[in-house]
Amino acid sequence: MPVDPRVESLLARMTLEEKAGQLSVFADMVRPFAPDVNPEANRRNADEVIEQVRAGRAGTLFNGVGAAQGREIQRVAVEESRLGIPVLLAADVIHGMRTVFPIPLGEAASFEPELARRTARATAVEATAAGIHWTYAPAVDIARDQRWGRGAEGAGEDTFLGCAFAAARVRGFQGEDLRAPDSLLATAKHFAAYGAVAAGMDYNYVEISEGTLRDVHLPPFKAALDAGALAVMTAFNDINGVPASANRALLTGVLREQWGFPGLVVSDYTADMELVAHGYAADDRDATLRAFTAGMDMSMQSGFYAEHLPALVESGQVTLEMLDAAVRRVLSVKAALGLFDDPYRSLDPVREADASHLPAHEALAREAARRSIVLLKNEGDALPLQGGRRIALVGPFARDVDNIEGCWTLFGDRSRYVGLEAGIRAALPPGAVLDVVDGCALETPLDGGVDAAVAAARDADVVLLAVGEPQRYSGEAQSRTQIVLPAVQQALAEAVAATGTPLVVLLRNGRALALEGAVRDAQAILVTWFLGSQTGHAVADVVFGRHGPSARLPVSFPHDSGQQPYFYNHPRTGRPETPQMSEFKARWREQPNAALYPFGHGLGYGRIEYGATTVDAAALAWDGTLAVRASVRNAGTRAAEEVVQLYLHDRVGSRVRPVRELKGFVKLPLAPGESRDVVFELTREQVAFTRADGSFGAEPGRFDVWIAPSAAAGEPVSFELLPPAASLP
Ligand code: NOJ
């Protein structure tokens, strides 16, 4: 972070109250928007907020929108506050602004970090045009339990994939130069281990080993910071008894001392206040003391820092050095954004009007959406649909446009949303006929709905069954115990399937689901997540074969809800199930220890064949590299894009190692008949982990490696990692 002399000069002149003000973040009641995304706390009206800005007691406002009013807030800060320090305007802009892109989990299914960089860039262009400098994104939490609703906001269950997407999103939001008027400050959140809440219940406690914390949950934060993110948001949960928002070991030890993070740490909404409810702080002042001294620079919405920090400094419980260090970071981020040179950056009403509808972003939304759709199964080549047929589009999502954006979309331009019916109708081939029947509502039956759906199915050559989770089933505070379809939709699916007409499921979901009955047994299943503004067009592109599906699951689809937390890279047990033996083995009475559809799985319209995985040598020298190869061929008649995945497994470790772990991937276009050799280079860094003694590094020994189409496919080949002193045989 660049050092700006104006920061020191301001620090020298600021009162304690003004310093605490720079560390205080309040809801933007001047330009309020969707205030109900957070519980109400410390309510203020617009005049009070402006007065706080004028008094230098509010350095950042969040979740407001609009360039013209933003300019007015900034004018008060710059012209009417004593020191003229510009305000920072923040918002939750998670997966799109006016144009809505797929939920992050869906976009991760593309296995194309570059796509995520592009959608984050487009998001930044639109958000900064609308008077926002700072986004509370990306969420980089690893979600290994699908009951947790906030998996929708991250990149799924895998750390390697999570790191790639975390870095890409930061690069997209922040752009090449943070000072540019269309660069949006990024926040890696929620630090840390928020995705590891017990039983997948939001806000719950986290009991976790140091190794799992370090190897699974922390790396995406490191990746985001290495990509340049200058903000981190703390998590609500405790970790082994210490709330993340007052966790010195994490906020100071890991972030500052180990990683050298120069940026700011902001609390999640009222997370300092919640230390009292956690029973970790006795009262508001104690909560302030604990959060601040642990390393939380900024307090969001509670008002605790504004209220208690000056007195804590006066009493000597907080040192002036510590206070100044936090203020220095916040002011330095403002300087890095160019706010001291141009406080009105990103507050240009003309640009806001120009950016309100950008056709290039609409095209990108369609591209991102169709590249996020996963084809789980395709019996008898049910897809793509051939022309001239009678199609019944059935289900509560058929006509719906209220459940296409997904969670955490505050500012989307709903007038431009394209639902399934509109998209499919627009793409109907000549001679095809479309019948549309709701069948039921999202959670309740409709009078005569099932009968109408069954009649339409009987008349049709194929049914497109649009079922899944309502959008509010995922996101914050939306944990589930049963990750299945609402019963009324399952019943609709059974009735429609009983007609015998081939069924193609268009699944709407914010997490991996346990598919059951007629939905699980349909001829074809497309996982369509929440795809955003261009949902209908994107689904139609895939259904009619204008675009071949190329996405892969970033989360394991289990056989049953009760398997949760189920993730592919689980540690080995002492009694693994084998094809020959399942008695006295690690499995459930009802289900195997496996996924119905594993992580990494997804089909295209080609037919992909993998050659054997080979290694160039039997051993990898400690400082050497080893090439791992396989040939991949499209034996089908249609073009395809294959996500070729590299998995590793450490046979013996000082801590029990995962059954396999993703260590590389590449998306390859393959024309019909085309064959390509894929090569991954391995070094010992890829097999490093937190060892039993707490150190990080590789352990010499034997490893298995796969080049495979999913976490459950392929045959491994093995190699030896030689110890440091050994030379190659
Ligand atoms: C709570 C959420 O946990 C966080 O992700 C979000 O940024 C804040 N509220 C602010 O809205």
Side-chain angles (χ1 to χ4, degrees):
M1 195 154 57
V3 177
D4 192 305
R6 285 167 291 189
V7 170
E8 292 308 319
S9 136
L10 281 169
L11 264 174
R13 286 178 287 144
M14 290 168 84
T15 63
L16 288 180
E17 285 70 24
E18 284 164 338
K19 288 178 182 174
Q22 286 303 311
L23 306 183
S24 298
V25 183
F26 294 110
D28 184 342
M29 301 312 289
V30 184
R31 337 173 274 169
F33 214 88
D36 55 352
V37 295
N38 290 294
E40 196 178 307
N42 194 19
R43 199 181 162 75
R44 285 144 198 263
N45 62 32
D47 291 342
E48 287 163 338
V49 170
I50 279 290
E51 196 38 51
Q52 296 288 303
V53 170
R54 188 176 286 118
R57 303 285 167 83
T60 299
L61 304 182
F62 76 101
N63 280 355
V65 68
Q69 271 184 306
R71 243 185 132 75
E72 176 54 18
I73 300 172
Q74 195 64 295
R75 191 196 62 72
V76 171
V78 172
E79 293 180 12
E80 297 181 13
S81 77
R82 193 177 74 89
L83 294 170
I85 302 174
V87 290
L88 198 50
L89 300 170
D92 288 294
V93 188
I94 310 298
H95 54 109
M97 180 72 198
R98 307 284 292 161
T99 311
V100 180
F101 300 105
I103 55 169
L105 180 64
E107 208 176 57
S110 72
F111 274 67
E112 290 180 60
E114 174 57 15
L115 184 67
R117 188 199 61 79
R118 289 165 62 209
T119 60
R121 186 87 287 276
T123 302
V125 166
E126 293 187 11
T128 54
I132 294 165
H133 303 124
W134 178 12
T135 179
Y136 295 151
V140 302
D141 307 309
I142 299 297
R144 296 174 133 192
D145 190 323
Q146 299 303 313
R147 291 172 295 184
W148 193 50
R150 302 199 75 173
E153 299 172 52
E157 72 188 36
D158 182 68
T159 302
F160 185 84
L161 189 67
C163 288
F165 275 85
R169 290 188 168 126
V170 168
R171 289 201 185 95
F173 287 135
Q174 296 198 164
E176 300 277 300
D177 173 9
L178 208 48
R179 302 168 68 84
D182 64 1
S183 286
L184 189 64
L185 174 66
T187 311
K189 73 183 188 186
H190 307 79
F191 195 67
Y194 187 31
V197 285
M201 187 179 76
D202 209 2
Y203 317 125
N204 209 6
Y205 62 88
V206 171
E207 289 280 353
I208 197 169
S209 74
E210 186 70 15
T212 301
L213 177 65
R214 288 192 175 272
D215 295 347
V216 174
H217 295 275
L218 295 187
F221 288 93
K222 181 69 164 57
L225 303 190
D226 287 347
L230 280 181
V232 166
M233 184 187 288
T234 66
F236 287 127
N237 52 281
D238 79 85
I239 300 172
N240 302 329
V242 180
S245 296
N247 199 310
R248 213 185 127 70
L250 277 178
L251 303 183
T252 300
V254 172
L255 270 187
R256 304 291 182 202
E257 292 164 6
Q258 288 175 32
W259 295 354
F261 174 55
L264 61 83
V265 176
V266 63
S267 81
D268 201 341
Y269 188 93
T270 63
D272 49 0
M273 182 172 101
E274 294 170 22
L275 295 176
V276 177
H278 269 295
Y280 190 73
D283 52 32
D284 301 0
R285 182 181 159 119
D286 189 32
T288 308
L289 177 67
R290 287 177 187 272
F292 185 75
T293 54
M296 183 204 280
D297 294 324
M298 300 177 94
S299 159
M300 192 196 300
Q301 192 59 15
S302 65
F304 278 18
Y305 279 21
E307 198 175 336
H308 300 293
L309 264 185
L312 283 167
V313 173
E314 274 158 5
S315 72
Q317 284 170 285
V318 167
T319 64
L320 190 59
E321 290 68 42
M322 240 195 131
L323 179 68
D324 283 354
V327 177
R328 186 177 289 117
R329 286 192 283 266
V330 172
L331 294 181
S332 297
V333 168
K334 290 188 175 185
L337 281 164
L339 283 171
F340 288 118
D341 298 310
D342 177 12
Y344 298 102
R345 61 148 283 181
S346 311
L347 294 171
D348 174 358
V350 175
R351 211 186 116 211
E352 181 173 33
D354 290 349
S356 69
H357 180 192
L358 297 171
H361 290 184
E362 211 144 87
L364 178 60
R366 182 167 178 166
E367 184 189 347
R370 64 193 185 191
R371 300 190 77 80
S372 301
I373 297 173
V374 186
L375 177 62
L376 288 187
K377 66 186 289 197
N378 195 14
E379 271 171 26
D381 289 335
L383 288 174
L385 295 188
Q386 305 304 327
R389 312 177 74 195
R390 191 166 190 107
I391 302 166
L393 173 61
V394 173
F397 295 95
R399 278 186 252 257
D400 169 275
V401 282
D402 294 327
N403 289 268
I404 65 176
E405 55 183 22
C407 58
W408 280 112
T409 310
L410 308 189
F411 311 104
D413 178 356
R414 302 177 57 85
S415 70
R416 288 192 280 127
Y417 290 179
V418 181
L420 285 178
E421 180 184 6
I424 287 170
R425 214 173 268 297
L428 273 187
V433 176
L434 182 68
D435 273 345
V436 182
V437 182
D438 297 325
C440 62
L442 294 171
E443 296 172 288
T444 48
L446 291 175
D447 266 355
V450 172
D451 292 345
V454 165
R458 280 217 181 90
D459 283 351
D461 299 309
V462 62
V463 176
L464 297 177
L465 185 67
V467 289
E469 296 186 294
Q471 131 177 332
R472 64 185 161 73
Y473 279 24
S474 47
E476 187 176 350
Q478 303 305 328
S479 298
R480 305 188 64 195
T481 57
Q482 305 296 319
I483 50 172
V484 295
L485 295 192
V488 68
Q489 294 189 40
Q490 188 67 40
L492 173 70
E494 302 301 336
V496 169
T499 63
T501 306
L503 213 60
V504 171
V505 171
L506 308 177
L507 193 68
R508 196 67 64 88
N509 53 313
R511 55 164 60 77
L513 295 175
L515 305 178
E516 301 178 307
V519 174
R520 180 193 56 215
D521 299 338
Q523 277 65 41
I525 303 174
L526 289 172
V527 175
T528 74
W529 318 105
F530 293 92
L531 291 174
S533 307
Q534 292 284 306
T535 294
H537 290 319
V539 171
D541 287 344
V542 169
V543 163
F544 294 112
R546 205 188 290 169
H547 175 86
S550 66
R552 301 293 182 262
L553 291 179
V555 279
S556 307
F557 270 52
H559 288 272
D560 187 290
S561 298
Q563 289 177 281
Q564 294 303 307
Y566 185 86
F567 46 94
Y568 83 93
N569 48 354
H570 54 82
R572 283 168 61 176
T573 69
R575 292 193 172 186
E577 197 181 12
T578 62
Q580 297 76 30
M581 177 81 174
S582 57
E583 278 302 303
F584 294 104
K585 296 293 188 184
R587 72 188 314 277
W588 289 271
R589 172 173 285 279
E590 299 87 352
Q591 301 293 353
N593 185 10
L596 174 62
Y597 289 108
F599 175 90
H601 170 77
L603 305 173
Y605 291 153
R607 195 158 58 77
I608 307 298
E609 293 170 351
Y610 279 68
T613 304
T614 60
V615 281
D616 277 7
L620 166 61
W622 189 249
D623 289 318
T625 55
L626 178 69
V628 187
R629 302 169 189 275
S631 72
V632 182
R633 186 173 116 81
N634 181 0
T637 55
R638 301 181 69 107
E641 286 176 273
E642 177 65 5
V643 178
V644 182
Q645 301 156 45
L646 175 75
Y647 291 96
L648 270 167
H649 166 240
D650 186 345
R651 286 201 190 168
V652 180
S654 63
R655 281 176 53 235
V656 171
R657 309 305 305 131
V659 291
R660 50 165 118 174
E661 291 176 285
L662 184 72
K663 294 293 176 178
F665 59 86
V666 58
K667 198 167 196 173
L668 277 189
L670 288 167
E674 188 180 355
S675 170
R676 287 174 70 171
D677 284 335
V678 180
V679 185
F680 293 98
E681 296 281 336
L682 275 186
T683 66
R684 75 167 195 279
E685 275 76 47
Q686 280 136 297
V687 298
F689 66 102
T690 300
R691 296 175 288 209
D693 66 2
S695 64
F696 184 79
E699 291 177 347
R702 190 148 285 280
F703 292 81
D704 296 311
V705 57
W706 296 251
I707 293 179
S710 83
E715 286 299 322
V717 61
S718 82
F719 68 90
E720 187 89 11
L721 172 64
L722 300 177
S727 52
L728 282 174

